[in-house]
Amino acid sequence: MTEHLTNSIQDYLKHIYELTEDGQPATTTALATRLGIAPASVTGMIQKLASSEPALVSYRKHQGVTLTDKGRRAALEVIRHHRLIEAWLVQTLGYSWDEVHNEAEKLEHVISEELEARIAAAMGNPLRDPHGDPIPSADLVMPEDKSMALSGLALKQEAMVSKVESQDTDLLKHLESLGLVIGARVKTLEVSRYDQVMRLQVRGRNEPVVLGPAITNRVFVEIK
Amino acid sequence: MTEHLTNSIQDYLKHIYELTEDGQPATTTALATRLGIAPASVTGMIQKLASSEPALVSYRKHQGVTLTDKGRRAALEVIRHHRLIEAWLVQTLGYSWDEVHNEAEKLEHVISEELEARIAAAMGNPLRDPHGDPIPSADLVMPEDKSMALSGLALKQEAMVSKVESQDTDLLKHLESLGLVIGARVKTLEVSRYDQVMRLQVRGRNEPVVLGPAITNRVFVEIK
DNA sequence: AAAATTATTTAGGATAGACTAAATAATTGT
DNA sequence: ACAATTATTTAGTCTATCCTAAATAATTTT
C-alpha cells in the first residue's frame, strides 16, 4: 500500500523535521501552533502517520513525535523542494528573499522530481537557499550546518552571516537595511550576554549597530 | 461570502470553458470523462457551482452547463496560468512542448498573481503557449484564434502551423519528426476530404508527408 | 409512437482532514 | 506531595469531494 503523501501530510512531516532538529521529539502543541490547526487535529493525524504502513513517524502517547527513516526522507524531499524553489525564484525572477517563502510553501508540494532536477541543474546544484539554509542533496542528505546564532558570538570575534531564520518580511527588510545579509562580515564590539544584546561592527558600514535578541537569535554566523 | 476556489473547482471551470468553446453547453458525461470522475459526482458539483453566491455556472437539469461571467473569468485565470507556465518551463528550463503539460496541470492552481505577473513579464507577455494556444491577457481577454484544422485546408493552399491540439507525447514527438511544429510552412498537394487524409509538402523537407485524420484534425494552421 | 438505449439525476455512503468540548495525563508551584 | 495549571487525547461533528446503485429523463431505433 504505497500511501500517497498529501500536501497536508507533507506539511506535518516538514514541521516535525524542523521541530526535532534539536534531537527532542516534537510536541503536539508545538506542531499545532506551526501548522495553524488545533492540537486535537494534530493528535489524530499523528496517530494515523504512526500506524500507516510503512510508518512515517514514531509516537507514544504524551511523549511527542519523531520521524522514522521513511518520514525523514519524505520531509527532506519537501524541504529540498522548498529551498530550491526559493533559490530559483530569487535568481530567475528577481524576487527578494523576503518575498519567496509563501510562494515556495505552495509550490513545494506539486513539483515533480523531473522539475526539481531541472531547477537544481539550472542553478548548478546550490547548497544554500537565499536565507542561508542548507539544501538537502538529491539523495536527501542534509549538508552539515556549521552556523551559530549571532548571540553566541564572543567579544571581538569576527564572523560571516550565513543564515537568517525568519520569514517575517519586515524583519528581513530591516536586516537588509542594516547590511546584515548572507555573506556580510561582522565583528562584535560589545556583548551583554545575559539579555543577548550586542553592539556589532558591520564591514562596509560606518556606524556600529546595536541589536536585541529578536535579531541576535535569528541571525546566524560562521566563524571564518 | 467570497468562495475559495479549490483545485477541484478550478478544474471543473477550466474544462467547462474548453467544452463550451463551440457555443454548446457542456454535458455531464463529457465533463466526467475529461475530469476522470463519475458522472454522478459531476452533477453534484455542478449543482453546487450553480447555486453558489455568486454563481459560477449556469445550469438546468438535463440541459448541460455553461459558465457565468464570474465562472468564465475564473476559468481564464487558470488557463492563463497553465499556458504561461508551459511557455516558461519550455523557455527557461529546456523542457520540450510534449513534457510540460502535466507539470503545468499542477502548478496552475498554486501560483500567485504576483508570480504569474513575474513569469509573464520575464517572457515579454507572450501571446501563445508552446502548443500554439492563445494565452489570455492579464485582464482575462482571450486573444482571437484565427486557426483552422489542417483537414479544412483546400488543395494547393499554403499555410503556417499555428497550434497543435494534443497532449499525447508520442504524437507530439512524431509531429516534430515530420517537421510539423508551430511556425512550419506547409502546402496541400492532395486532399481526400471525405476521410480527411491529405498529402502535404512541408517547407524545408524533401519528401511530402501523408497524414490521416488523427493528425489533420489536431494540427491547426493559419493562412498567411 | 413504443421500445430500447443512453444520459442524467437522486439517494445513500465513504474518506480525509479539520473542529469543539470534555476527559485525562503530565508538569509546575508551593 | 498535593493542588493548580497546562498539555494531550478521546469522542462526536462537519465539510468537501468522491463513489455506487437505483431511478428517471432524454434520445434513438424500429
Side-chain angles (χ1 to χ4, degrees):
Chain A
M1 198 160 298
T2 298
E3 25 26 77
H4 170 237
L5 300 187
T6 61
N7 285 15
S8 164
I9 291 177
Q10 290 180 10
D11 276 336
Y12 273 90
L13 297 176
K14 181 178 66 167
H15 286 292
I16 295 168
Y17 181 93
E18 289 167 357
L19 285 169
T20 54
E21 273 185 303
D22 61 2
Q24 293 299 116
T27 65
T28 307
T29 323
L31 246 181
T33 305
R34 267 173 168 269
L35 292 165
I37 64 186
S41 309
V42 171
T43 301
M45 178 60 92
I46 290 306
Q47 287 170 339
K48 184 177 138 188
L49 297 179
S51 61
S52 71
E53 192 48 61
L56 295 165
V57 306
S58 159
Y59 165 71
R60 272 174 41 227
K61 277 188 194 182
H62 299 101
Q63 301 306 127
V65 214
T66 57
L67 294 172
T68 60
D69 240 63
K70 259 269 182 273
R72 186 175 358 271
R73 289 183 64 82
L76 285 169
E77 188 66 64
V78 180
I79 292 169
R80 175 169 161 83
H81 285 183
H82 183 101
R83 295 182 181 171
L84 275 175
I85 289 164
E86 285 203 344
W88 183 46
L89 297 183
V90 165
Q91 181 171 312
T92 70
L93 291 179
Y95 269 96
S96 63
W97 69 337
D98 55 294
E99 297 172 319
V100 281
H101 181 75
N102 291 337
E103 209 73 67
E105 202 70 14
K106 294 179 294 180
L107 293 170
E108 66 188 10
H109 303 296
V110 301
I111 69 173
S112 68
E113 291 308 285
E114 169 72 21
L115 180 50
E116 172 202 303
R118 284 185 188 250
I119 292 171
M123 290 193 303
N125 300 300
L127 299 174
R128 300 276 173 159
D129 76 7
H131 296 266
D133 289 308
I135 300 176
S137 59
D139 57 351
L140 304 181
V141 174
M142 182 69 91
E144 189 62 44
D145 185 350
K146 290 174 237 115
S147 61
M148 61 188 294
L150 191 48
S151 57
L153 217 50
L155 188 60
K156 304 284 181 192
Q157 209 166 13
E158 295 188 36
M160 191 185 72
V161 176
S162 62
K163 183 170 69 173
V164 174
E165 278 192 353
S166 168
Q167 282 105 231
D168 175 348
T169 301
D170 288 340
L171 175 59
L172 295 179
K173 283 196 195 305
H174 179 58
L175 290 176
E176 194 128 27
S177 74
L178 294 178
L180 283 176
V181 296
I182 312 292
R185 306 240 150 218
V186 300
K187 181 177 179 184
T188 49
L189 300 180
E190 226 180 308
V191 304
S192 163
R193 184 50 52 69
Y194 178 68
D195 56 3
Q196 293 161 336
V197 169
M198 52 177 36
R199 203 153 62 90
L200 202 74
Q201 180 62 53
V202 181
R203 172 99 54 104
R205 188 189 174 80
N206 296 333
E207 293 299 304
V209 295
V210 177
L211 308 172
I215 289 181
T216 60
N217 284 329
R218 291 205 242 276
V219 172
F220 287 68
V221 294
E222 274 177 34
I223 296 166
K224 42 172 201 179
Chain B
M1 199 162 295
T2 298
E3 23 27 78
H4 170 235
L5 300 187
T6 62
N7 285 12
S8 165
I9 291 177
Q10 289 180 10
D11 276 335
Y12 273 89
L13 296 176
K14 179 178 67 168
H15 287 292
I16 294 168
Y17 181 93
E18 289 167 359
L19 286 169
T20 53
E21 274 186 301
D22 60 2
Q24 293 300 116
T27 66
T28 306
T29 325
L31 246 182
T33 304
R34 267 173 168 268
L35 291 166
I37 63 186
S41 308
V42 171
T43 301
M45 178 60 92
I46 289 308
Q47 287 171 339
K48 185 178 135 184
L49 297 180
S51 61
S52 72
E53 192 49 60
L56 295 165
V57 306
S58 158
Y59 166 71
R60 271 175 40 225
K61 277 188 192 182
H62 300 100
Q63 301 306 128
V65 214
T66 55
L67 294 172
T68 60
D69 240 63
K70 259 270 183 270
R72 187 178 355 273
R73 289 183 63 85
L76 286 170
E77 187 67 63
V78 180
I79 292 170
R80 174 168 162 84
H81 285 183
H82 183 100
R83 295 181 181 171
L84 276 175
I85 289 164
E86 285 204 345
W88 183 46
L89 296 182
V90 165
Q91 180 171 313
T92 70
L93 291 178
Y95 269 96
S96 63
W97 69 338
D98 54 293
E99 297 172 320
V100 281
H101 182 76
N102 291 337
E103 210 72 65
E105 203 70 13
K106 293 179 293 179
L107 292 171
E108 66 189 10
H109 302 296
V110 301
I111 68 172
S112 67
E113 291 307 284
E114 169 72 21
L115 181 49
E116 173 204 302
R118 283 184 189 250
I119 292 171
M123 292 193 303
N125 300 300
L127 298 174
R128 300 275 172 161
D129 76 9
H131 297 265
D133 288 309
I135 301 176
S137 57
D139 58 350
L140 305 181
V141 174
M142 182 70 91
E144 189 62 45
D145 185 350
K146 288 174 240 116
S147 62
M148 61 189 291
L150 190 49
S151 57
L153 263 192
L155 188 61
K156 306 284 184 193
Q157 209 165 12
E158 295 189 35
M160 191 186 73
V161 175
S162 62
K163 182 169 69 172
V164 174
E165 278 192 355
S166 168
Q167 282 106 231
D168 176 348
T169 301
D170 288 341
L171 175 59
L172 296 179
K173 282 196 195 309
H174 179 57
L175 290 176
E176 193 128 27
S177 74
L178 294 178
L180 282 177
V181 295
I182 310 293
R185 306 239 150 217
V186 299
K187 181 179 179 185
T188 49
L189 300 180
E190 228 179 307
V191 303
S192 163
R193 183 53 52 70
Y194 176 70
D195 57 2
Q196 295 161 336
V197 169
M198 53 175 38
R199 203 153 63 88
L200 202 73
Q201 180 62 53
V202 181
R203 172 98 55 103
R205 189 189 174 80
N206 297 331
E207 293 299 304
V209 296
V210 177
L211 307 171
I215 289 181
T216 59
N217 284 328
R218 290 205 242 275
V219 172
F220 287 69
V221 295
E222 273 177 35
I223 295 167
K224 39 173 203 180

